[in-house]
Amino acid sequence: MIRFEQTFMNFLLEHQERQHRTGHFLILMDAVISAARHIQYYYLTGALKGNLGLAGSVNIQGEDVMRMDQIAHEIAIHYLKSSGRVIHAVSEESEPIIPMNVEGGRYFVYFDPLDGSSNVSHGLPVGFLFGVAKRNLEGTEDLHLRSGNEFIAAGMFVIPTGTFTMGLKDAGTWRFHMDETMNYVRPTRILLPEKKKTWELSFNAANRRAYAEKVQAWIMENENRYAFRYLGALAGDFHRILANGGMFMYPAIVNHPDPKKNRPEGKLRLMYEASVVAFMCREAGGLAMNEKGVPILDIKPEKPHQRCSLYVGSKALVEDIAQAF
Ligand code: FDP
């Protein structure tokens, strides 16, 4: 007997119908899913086709661009544009904001098409992360960059693992798995576990002496209480935290022996990394803050590629470290 599962699109259709919503968001999400499948395919066959190496250029963040970064960006732009529903997009791979359907579009999409570049040349897990906000339907639209609190949805695909996790505003965080037909199926509601037994800490331990002293002291005091896991790709590391509880952090780098390598604003990008995981975390019962003790979802972006420090995961743990700031 074949076991048939509910697909993501069917799940979303039911959700939209229950809320008496229009079909626009479904059309947008169909584009996002198509892009994710397309990226997944290229990534899976990337080693054989020679697509897992460097592209030979440097991006706006001063990082080497991988060939797969460009492919994933191109794919995402194609589908988002063809949906006709996007006003403009912000991509990690493009310095300027990308105008799409400026007059008729309904959503702003902020995305990183292939996050976790150090894993690319090994074909190991990377993420496609996105946040969605809606245009102002009541008054005049001023096209401002939206904070996480203004998102209506945010999600991440772990590629090529085949999982998709998405938070829907006031409707929870849900996980789906890719089936043999490349459909995302089996909606499962995710709530951060309360029991500390499974909690994990995730951060780049190589940087620890460069963190602020208070952060270092907190780590010294707490690290033996939890398992430590770090993949080096936010989507993969945060996937574990959502399932097991605990905290992912990317603190500000303020004590680097080479001061030029300090990152007082942190490394991760607010709009398409920190806000995306913070949104999913809130819908799963958790919390995200920066090192100034400001909830990530409250931060109003001043520029599209703004960075921020990030502490995200189980509420009690994020609140506890926030006491140390
Ligand atoms: P990467 O730079 O390798 O693309 O900003 C993205 C990110 O990966 C995250 O996905 C990841 O959590 C973090 O940076 C890894 O940074 P480190 O290599 O400094 O640990």
Side-chain angles (χ1 to χ4, degrees), residues 212-223:
E213 265 129 46
K214 288 178 182 172
V215 175
Q216 292 189 44
W218 186 92
I219 292 174
M220 292 270 277
E221 207 183 309
N222 290 278
E223 63 187 337

Side-chain angles (χ1 to χ4, degrees), residues 44 57 72 111 150 168 189 215 242-243 258 260 279 312:
L44 275 173
S57 51
F111 69 95
E150 296 172 274
L168 283 163
R189 179 110 192 231
V215 175
L242 272 179
D258 174 358
K260 286 202 283 302
F279 185 93
V312 60

Side-chain angles (χ1 to χ4, degrees), residues 179-198:
D179 73 2
E180 42 292 276
T181 63
M182 287 187 94
N183 260 314
Y184 289 96
V185 299
R186 197 187 291 179
T188 312
R189 179 110 192 231
I190 306 281
L191 283 170
L192 282 156
E194 306 241 320
K195 287 214 178 91
K196 296 187 177 169
K197 220 172 126 221
T198 56

Side-chain angles (χ1 to χ4, degrees), residues 243-277:
N244 292 348
M247 181 168 64
F248 171 91
M249 52 187 183
Y250 208 107
I253 306 291
V254 289
N255 284 312
H256 198 283
D258 174 358
K260 286 202 283 302
K261 294 198 172 151
N262 275 336
R263 292 171 183 269
E265 295 307 321
K267 175 189 178 188
L268 301 185
R269 272 52 70 102
L270 173 67
M271 300 205 65
Y272 40 82
E273 292 182 322
S275 293
V276 169
V277 293

Side-chain angles (χ1 to χ4, degrees), residues 261-325:
K261 294 198 172 151
N262 275 336
R263 292 171 183 269
E265 295 307 321
K267 175 189 178 188
L268 301 185
R269 272 52 70 102
L270 173 67
M271 300 205 65
Y272 40 82
E273 292 182 322
S275 293
V276 169
V277 293
F279 185 93
M280 285 187 276
C281 194
R282 181 191 74 197
E283 292 297 329
L287 180 66
M289 289 211 179
N290 72 4
E291 219 166 295
K292 293 170 186 145
V294 179
I296 297 290
L297 295 175
D298 287 350
I299 305 174
K300 290 203 177 9
E302 281 160 21
K303 43 185 187 183
H305 302 289
Q306 186 168 327
R307 294 179 192 265
C308 71
S309 50
L310 173 67
Y311 296 78
V312 60
S314 301
K315 222 176 197 165
L317 216 45
V318 176
E319 278 169 355
D320 190 56
I321 197 164
Q323 305 268 315
F325 300 152

Side-chain angles (χ1 to χ4, degrees), residues 141 174 285:
E141 176 50 56
W174 298 81

